[in-house]
Amino acid sequence: MARPRKPLLSRDRIVEAAGSLVDAEGLEAVSTRRLAAALGVSGPSLYNHFRTKDEILEAVADAVSARVDLSMFDGARDWRTALHDWAHSYRDALADHPNIVPVLARGPGRRPAGLRVADAVFGAMTAAGWPPAQATRIGALMRYFILGSAVASFAGGFVDDETAYDPSDYPHLGQAHLLAERRQEVDEGAFETGLAALLDGLALQYAALPDTA
């Protein structure tokens, strides 16, 4: 009886396996040995698709970038609404994959999906009348803010033990032990507050531009 054929090794299969490993154990867990074992292949066979582990991680990061909705930059929405909606889409894409954020933070490099994101944001800002230099800064600012929000939970950084925050040492943290159980509410509220403040500030700058005032 013929043996069942194993699925052919492909870039997509490697990226999917690496992404699962990153999600579960972090970047340091990824190795050609671990990936080969997960895929049921020999380690050297991976090099037919990727030259290095870093290339695999770049591909995992790009797969996450590809999940970001860019339809809001099609011209139907004003620049502020487009940035707001894109920021939420980007954060949502990162929410399930926070361990890959350090790779994304390096910038898009040569990653196709990452470059499409950068191109869409810059194109929409310049089309709205922002000078190219300022449009570049806006793209950078938004990326800093969104990636930073995905790195860790503010509320999750506090323990739920009220004895941990002695009022004699921390007179203003009397309710800090309650933050952990309200993690989603606090973190999402902080993101929306920061995003609104950021966009409000940009709106003031936009109104002062010579061609838009």
Side-chain angles (χ1 to χ4, degrees):
M1 183 180 294
R3 293 180 179 178
R5 293 183 61 188
K6 293 181 180 179
L8 293 175
L9 190 62
S10 65
R11 287 179 64 92
D12 287 345
R13 284 193 68 213
I14 295 170
V15 170
E16 182 179 0
S20 296
L21 195 54
V22 171
D23 288 344
E25 301 182 39
L27 294 173
E28 297 304 317
V30 178
S31 68
T32 54
R33 180 183 61 81
R34 291 285 303 275
L35 285 176
L39 292 164
V41 300
S42 63
S45 64
L46 299 177
Y47 295 112
N48 293 325
H49 301 275
F50 294 96
R51 292 176 297 178
T52 65
K53 184 183 84 169
D54 281 346
E55 280 193 1
I56 296 174
L57 292 176
E58 288 284 322
V60 172
D62 211 40
V64 174
S65 293
R67 299 173 187 174
V68 181
D69 182 13
L70 299 176
S71 64
M72 64 284 298
F73 296 121
D74 61 6
R77 286 170 249 196
D78 64 89
W79 68 266
R80 177 179 174 140
T81 302
L83 283 182
H84 176 276
D85 295 348
W86 169 68
H88 277 278
S89 176
Y90 199 173
R91 184 171 183 262
D92 289 345
L94 299 179
D96 294 330
H97 310 282
N99 290 338
I100 199 64
V101 170
V103 179
L104 288 164
R106 300 171 191 166
R110 298 177 183 270
R111 299 193 300 268
L115 289 169
R116 283 193 290 273
V117 171
D119 182 72
V121 175
F122 181 82
M125 294 306 99
T126 53
W130 286 100
Q134 187 68 345
T136 299
R137 297 185 192 109
I138 290 171
L141 170 63
M142 295 297 294
R143 190 165 66 86
Y144 297 155
F145 175 71
I146 297 164
L147 292 178
S149 75
V151 169
S153 162
F154 174 80
F158 294 88
V159 299
D160 60 2
D161 179 4
E162 63 181 320
T163 65
Y165 308 109
D166 190 322
S168 64
D169 294 323
Y170 315 106
H172 305 296
L173 296 182
Q175 301 297 306
H177 64 283
L178 300 176
L179 291 174
E181 68 182 34
R182 300 175 183 174
R183 176 172 177 163
Q184 183 174 356
E185 176 188 350
V186 172
D187 291 344
E188 290 184 358
F191 180 78
E192 191 59 49
T193 298
L195 181 60
L198 188 156
L199 295 176
D200 284 347
L202 288 177
L204 292 175
Q205 294 183 35
Y206 187 74
L209 293 176
D211 293 336
T212 62

